[in-house]
Amino acid sequence: GAFAEPAIDPPLADSYRALLRSDERAGIAAAPATGSVAVLERDLPMIDLERLRSGDARERKACADAMAAAASEWGFFQVINHGVGRQLLEEMRREQARLFRLPFDTKEKAGLLNGSYRWGNPTATSLRHLSWSEAFHVPLATISREDCDYGKLSSLREVMQEVADAMSCVADTVAGALAEELGHAAGGGESTFPAGCDGTTCFLRLNRYPACPFAPDTFGLVPHTDSDFLTILCQDQVGGLQLMKDARWVAVKPHPDALIVNVGDLFQAWSNNRYKSVEHKVVANYKAERFSVAYFLCPSYDSPVGTCSEPSPYRPFTFGEYRRKVQDDVKRTGKKIGLPNFLKHSPVHGLSS
């Protein structure tokens, strides 16, 4: 017979069936979580970054105010006139598609992009924990390193570096304006924000959500908050991103020219809970695959996260400490606990510090 094409998809269907069987044995209901509740589609607050570059101080202030209001109320907003060229993003998408079309075995080999490939959720014990997706989670520090293997995709390096540089400008602009709104003085030297972030400490994540033939509410990405300062996301027009707003899930309407910005845990802690790191998820699509690329604004592991003003509800901690605690909790309980662990009077551990 003819040779079978090498599989490009990770064995998500096998994981799905195995977890479905174990859920049935444990008597857990089949649908992951959304059940029959209708999900509203909403437009996120739209911020025009052109106004921040305006020569008019009132215009700049109005833009920063609108951003701060969205960060407090939604934890999410979208930005236009962000300076990341549409052509560059289309090129990124093409490169990404070529990367994910490689055979699964090739993607899984540790050499490719420094072993940054992830799929599904290796610690899943129930369908509620399964993510129907694959991703390359690439530290920016490795993109240009000589030992980072791109296989046959030599043009990918250049495009990833360009996207990372462009998104890092957006992240710095937005983070700076949001910090200023809380009284953090802008300016050079020591007062750049966030402390400990530079071109080497952040991450780029290339995501692919294959079409999912199973339940229509299978998670592409399980509900979570981001453990960084800010995330800048470019999603395609397939949709599937949902966030928690007023205690219910809201679907985010894709907008062709906008990037999505969301507040991460570190910014919520630094802002003394003024800005919200909001739970969000991706729902897999029955017919279409979906691509996205995310830029995570993170400090170095030994950076203290700090606060915009005292008293802070959180005890001092470093990013490394935060990451380790999240990983321990996920290993131990299957779930991320996150910020509540670091409250001075922690409900998780009784009183602390």
Side-chain angles (χ1 to χ4, degrees), residues 271-342:
S271 73
N272 295 345
N273 297 333
R274 291 271 294 282
Y275 299 147
K276 302 293 187 287
S277 179
V278 169
E279 197 175 30
H280 53 286
K281 64 181 180 182
V282 174
V283 177
N285 190 294
Y286 187 69
K287 294 196 192 81
E289 66 179 345
R290 172 182 185 265
F291 290 99
S292 70
V293 56
Y295 174 93
F296 297 101
L297 182 66
C298 304
S300 63
Y301 280 13
D302 54 2
S303 286
V305 169
T307 174
C308 64
S309 61
E310 290 294 355
S312 163
Y314 298 97
R315 62 180 175 79
F317 61 93
T318 64
F319 180 44
E321 210 182 323
Y322 192 77
R323 285 281 302 256
R324 281 192 297 278
K325 191 75 188 87
V326 166
Q327 284 156 357
D328 289 350
D329 288 338
V330 169
K331 221 172 267 174
R332 214 168 33 83
T333 68
K335 278 210 309 284
K336 168 181 171 175
I337 295 169
L339 284 176
N341 277 324
F342 294 89

Side-chain angles (χ1 to χ4, degrees), residues 178-262:
L178 286 174
E180 228 178 302
E181 283 282 300
L182 297 179
H184 179 86
E190 284 308 291
S191 66
T192 52
F193 178 84
C197 288
D198 66 28
T200 63
T201 58
C202 302
F203 292 84
L204 205 58
R205 190 178 168 101
L206 312 179
N207 298 305
R208 174 180 174 249
Y209 302 90
C212 175
F214 297 110
D217 47 7
T218 301
F219 293 136
L221 206 53
V222 295
H224 66 286
T225 58
D226 290 352
S227 300
D228 59 352
F229 270 101
L230 271 188
T231 305
I232 311 292
L233 176 79
C234 171
Q235 60 163 351
D236 61 18
Q237 298 306 295
V238 172
L241 176 64
Q242 298 185 3
L243 61 97
M244 189 54 84
K245 174 89 170 82
D246 304 326
R248 56 181 298 178
W249 289 108
V250 169
V252 175
K253 199 174 179 176
H255 184 294
D257 289 313
L259 294 175
I260 290 171
V261 178
N262 69 280

Side-chain angles (χ1 to χ4, degrees), residues 101-123:
R101 293 279 175 281
L102 292 173
F104 171 64
D105 295 350
T106 308
K107 289 183 285 198
E108 220 187 9
K109 278 200 190 86
L112 190 69
L113 267 62
N114 273 43
S116 60
Y117 180 68
R118 316 264 185 279
W119 67 273
N121 177 357
T123 59

Side-chain angles (χ1 to χ4, degrees), residues 132-155:
W132 191 273
S133 55
E134 56 178 337
F136 285 88
H137 192 73
V138 187
L140 296 196
T142 66
I143 292 179
S144 56
R145 277 215 327 240
E146 286 311 304
D147 61 351
C148 189
D149 178 20
Y150 285 82
K152 299 189 177 94
L153 304 169
S154 53
S155 49

